[in-house]
Amino acid sequence: MSGGDAIPEFSKAKSGDGQDVSLTNLSAFAGGPGVKSGAEVAAILVVAVVIIGGIELALRIFHVPQYIMPPPSAIVYALFDEFPLIAPHLGYTLVELFSGFAIGAVVGLLMAAVITQFPFAEKIVAPYILILVTTPMLALVPLLILRFGFGYTPRIIAVALAAGPMVMINAATGFRRVDSAKIALARSYGASTLQIFWKIRAPMALPMILVGLMIGAIFGLLTAVGAEMVGGGFGLGNRLTSYSSMIQMPQFFAVVLILSTLGILIYVLFFLIGKKWASWEA
Amino acid sequence: MNTGSARTPKLGVQAASKVYTTASGDLLALDRCSLDVHANEIVSIVGPSGCGKTTLLWSMSGLHRLTSGAILLDGKEVTGPRPEIGIVFQEANLLPWRNLDANINFPFEIKGEKPDRAWIAHLLHRVGLDGFGGKFPRELSGGMQQRAAIVRALALKPSVLLMDEPFGALDSFTREEMNRLVEEIWLDTKTTIVFITHSIEEAIFLSDRVVVLTARPGRVAKVYDVPFPRPRSLEIMATKEVFDLTNRIKMDIVGERRPKAQEQLEHKSAEIVRIRP
């Protein structure tokens, strides 16, 4: 402790505190959809009606064949008509997403929390984490299928591999945001290392952790669907390849609609969590 | 409360030296600083910026280990943070994710003790923060944040309060208001206070003694007694005695930088002399 003390600093944001590594920042929360007024919501709905109605009209006027672009009404009809058949596949995809994401997020969070305690180890590991973040895990799916077969296993592994590093790199950025004055405050009351972690470091890291979880979940969805398209007989990705090979375009777009809804739900979920627990940051 | 004999200072700083190890070599921040703070006394420490004032205070609090020398609280060496010592940090240092109540409860949470509700309510009332318990730091002005920080520091009933440039970021009116508040609290509790500031006026208004540190490495250059009666009114603060004392301290601090300044001044006057004839 004696020689290791740092010169007391009170600067608000130290440069090089990891902000440079983050893939995104909290503008995702601060500048997100937010709470819109009634008039704004009405305007958004009007625009949606105009655009969707316009597409419907144009497709019908110009007699565009369904295999090129089905009209919105046909997509909505297919969504309801085909839903009983699609629903189990939605379930499979969700199972893969949830289990893969849970594994990836837990491992990523733990690694971030541990590795940031050891700056030297962190420097050594950083390039490898970067490789994990930047390599599309989809590329490994054929290999995983070869090893684990066409079941859930290769997909869950791929989702975990895609989500984990995203969670880790962002959470690490959060844990690295050390505020020496706040840690000194806790220490002045005799706080243990564990107390400093739970009461200072973790809350300070929370906004970045949430950003990491959100990006991880969206990457996980992407990877799950992609892996399903590569091989295996179930999941929403499998439906996409199957419907397009049978030129069932309304059903194909119905699945796309479900996928984008999933993505939006993930975003909204983390947006709401961030608003509740990390709004102090904004 | 004061268990030591009259001779034992409340807080003793004995030949305190502190070396920081930095990337560009060792940095001597404090050089054999010695200072006694007696019970129920307010002592201010002033000095040029970067002279080790904060280092001295953090060492007194047990947050930093001295490289050599010792800090004695009631005659016993301070080797780590002590519950009898409360700290008020620069810029309030509240936790932004906690509301005021939760911020003030923070020390009790760390210690695993039940907060003394009545005492906290009394303190909040004293500093004029009744009814603000549910507010978050970002919703409060700088002055209010610092009031909350003072309540947090006093909540554990420390016998020594260390204040590290607490009002440096406040505007001058708020600062004067806060100074009066500190004086009132002191008149109430007679807590021993060590107050670090770069405002000489603030130091004189609050203190029984003002300690002037030298530029880095920090050494005790001079100690001034401030004999004016309390509570100190605006009238007292406007007297010639206060004015003279302020100037003497200012000269001491400026004198610390004299070699260079003097050189420049002499150089200039020489030029003027040459031009004149």
Side-chain angles (χ1 to χ4, degrees):
Chain A
M1 193 162 91
S2 161
D5 290 336
I7 298 170
E9 263 188 291
F10 292 91
S11 54
K12 286 240 161 88
K14 251 170 47 184
S15 62
D17 255 3
Q19 291 297 337
D20 41 335
V21 214
S22 83
L23 294 170
T24 178
N25 58 32
L26 287 161
S27 58
F29 291 140
V35 183
K36 298 222 157 57
S37 72
E40 283 173 323
V41 171
I44 290 170
L45 286 177
V46 166
V47 169
V49 166
V50 168
I51 290 177
I52 295 169
I55 292 173
E56 178 88 30
L57 208 65
L59 292 176
R60 281 177 190 279
I61 287 171
F62 296 109
H63 298 287
V64 179
Q66 279 214 348
Y67 59 83
I68 291 180
M69 182 71 209
S73 60
I75 295 171
V76 173
Y77 179 79
L79 178 63
F80 285 101
D81 192 44
E82 198 83 354
F83 195 74
L85 280 171
I86 298 175
H89 295 278
L90 171 62
Y92 306 141
T93 302
L94 286 179
V95 166
E96 292 157 17
L97 177 60
F98 280 129
S99 16
F101 176 70
I103 296 168
V106 168
V107 173
L109 273 179
L110 281 177
M111 281 185 67
V114 171
I115 206 82
T116 45
Q117 304 292 317
F118 306 100
F120 182 71
E122 199 186 349
K123 279 199 183 88
I124 306 290
V125 174
Y128 302 102
I129 298 297
L130 201 64
I131 290 174
L132 282 179
V133 168
T134 49
T135 308
M137 287 305 156
L138 266 180
L140 297 185
V141 171
L143 181 79
L144 291 170
I145 288 176
L146 220 58
R147 172 71 185 77
F148 297 103
F150 286 103
Y152 276 127
T153 320
R155 300 170 175 189
I156 291 176
I157 293 174
V159 172
L161 281 175
M166 289 293 167
V167 174
M168 185 190 158
I169 204 166
N170 281 285
T173 304
F175 285 123
R176 242 180 278 123
R177 301 186 351 172
V178 186
D179 184 333
S180 61
K182 289 184 174 56
I183 289 173
L185 171 79
R187 278 187 50 216
S188 78
Y189 297 117
S192 64
T193 311
L194 209 63
Q195 277 177 319
I196 288 174
F197 180 82
W198 284 115
K199 298 205 180 278
I200 305 287
R201 284 183 198 272
M204 279 198 83
L206 187 63
M208 284 312 293
I209 290 176
L210 287 176
V211 168
L213 288 175
M214 180 175 76
I215 300 175
I218 287 173
F219 265 72
L221 176 65
L222 201 87
T223 308
V225 173
E228 288 162 353
M229 292 172 85
V230 174
F234 58 94
L236 289 178
N238 166 265
R239 286 296 87 196
L240 286 177
T241 41
S242 152
Y243 285 136
S244 66
S245 66
M246 291 185 286
I247 324 183
Q248 291 184 312
M249 282 304 139
Q251 289 80 354
F252 177 88
F253 276 101
V255 175
V256 171
L257 205 61
I258 292 173
L259 286 173
S260 52
T261 310
L262 272 182
I264 289 173
L265 284 178
I266 290 172
Y267 178 82
V268 169
L269 174 73
F270 285 105
F271 175 77
L272 291 177
I273 295 174
K275 229 172 110 111
K276 176 104 177 66
W277 297 105
S279 58
W280 55 270
E281 177 88 3
Chain B
M1 207 157 184
N2 180 22
T3 48
S5 71
R7 293 245 175 92
T8 316
K10 184 73 199 171
L11 196 62
V13 180
Q14 296 181 338
S17 296
K18 175 73 184 172
V19 177
Y20 288 113
T21 314
T22 69
S24 51
D26 283 0
L27 184 78
L28 181 60
L30 277 182
D31 187 16
R32 286 159 290 154
C33 252
S34 291
L35 171 68
D36 282 347
V37 180
H38 300 289
N40 312 335
E41 197 182 25
I42 304 183
V43 173
S44 284
I45 298 172
V46 296
S49 54
C51 72
K53 300 186 292 268
T54 293
T55 299
L56 178 58
L57 191 103
W58 281 40
S59 302
M60 284 173 158
S61 71
L63 281 172
H64 275 184
R65 279 279 176 83
L66 288 171
T67 309
S68 68
I71 306 287
L72 303 177
L73 178 70
D74 291 322
K76 269 185 251 158
E77 186 165 359
V78 175
T79 52
R82 295 275 287 269
E84 303 95 314
I85 300 176
I87 310 173
V88 176
F89 291 86
Q90 287 176 26
E91 294 179 4
N93 202 13
L94 297 173
L95 306 177
W97 54 88
R98 287 168 172 251
N99 66 21
L100 263 196
D101 280 340
N103 260 294
I104 291 162
N105 284 344
F106 179 71
F108 297 95
E109 265 178 56
I110 295 292
K111 295 196 167 296
E113 287 170 15
K114 264 203 156 154
D116 186 343
R117 295 255 163 256
W119 173 239
I120 291 171
H122 166 78
L123 287 173
L124 282 173
H125 178 71
R126 193 82 194 72
V127 303
L129 280 178
D130 309 270
F132 283 93
K135 296 272 185 205
F136 283 83
R138 66 168 185 281
E139 300 174 289
L140 303 174
S141 69
M144 287 163 103
Q145 290 188 23
Q146 203 49 273
R147 285 162 201 259
I150 290 173
V151 171
R152 176 176 62 188
L154 290 173
L156 284 169
K157 299 190 180 173
S159 60
V160 177
L161 189 60
L162 305 179
M163 303 181 84
D164 181 13
E165 280 184 36
F167 311 135
L170 303 180
D171 64 86
S172 61
F173 293 113
T174 314
R175 176 184 270 228
E176 278 172 25
E177 208 181 301
M178 298 302 291
N179 288 343
R180 279 195 292 280
L181 181 69
V182 171
E183 187 181 48
E184 281 170 23
I185 288 173
W186 181 83
L187 288 169
D188 260 12
T189 60
K190 290 280 164 33
T191 307
T192 310
I193 296 178
V194 179
F195 194 98
I196 285 186
T197 177
H198 49 246
S199 157
I200 298 168
E201 288 76 11
E202 187 172 66
I204 292 176
F205 177 82
L206 282 174
S207 319
D208 298 303
R209 285 188 299 150
V210 176
V211 176
V212 181
L213 288 195
T214 62
R216 191 178 329 170
R219 273 186 223 112
V220 175
K222 258 182 193 158
V223 181
Y224 290 94
D225 281 318
V226 186
F228 312 115
R230 290 181 199 277
R232 288 176 184 167
S233 60
L234 280 175
E235 287 75 36
I236 293 178
M237 291 308 289
T239 56
K240 189 173 178 304
E241 285 83 355
V242 170
F243 183 72
D244 287 347
L245 183 58
T246 308
N247 278 334
R248 287 213 324 263
I249 296 174
K250 208 171 272 176
M251 293 307 280
D252 278 344
I253 296 175
V254 174
E256 272 306 311
R257 303 202 209 104
R258 190 182 297 147
K260 210 172 175 190
Q262 189 80 6
E263 218 171 79
Q264 281 172 351
L265 203 69
E266 275 160 9
H267 188 66
K268 243 190 189 138
S269 56
E271 259 175 34
I272 292 168
V273 169
R274 236 178 283 140
I275 291 163
R276 260 197 183 161

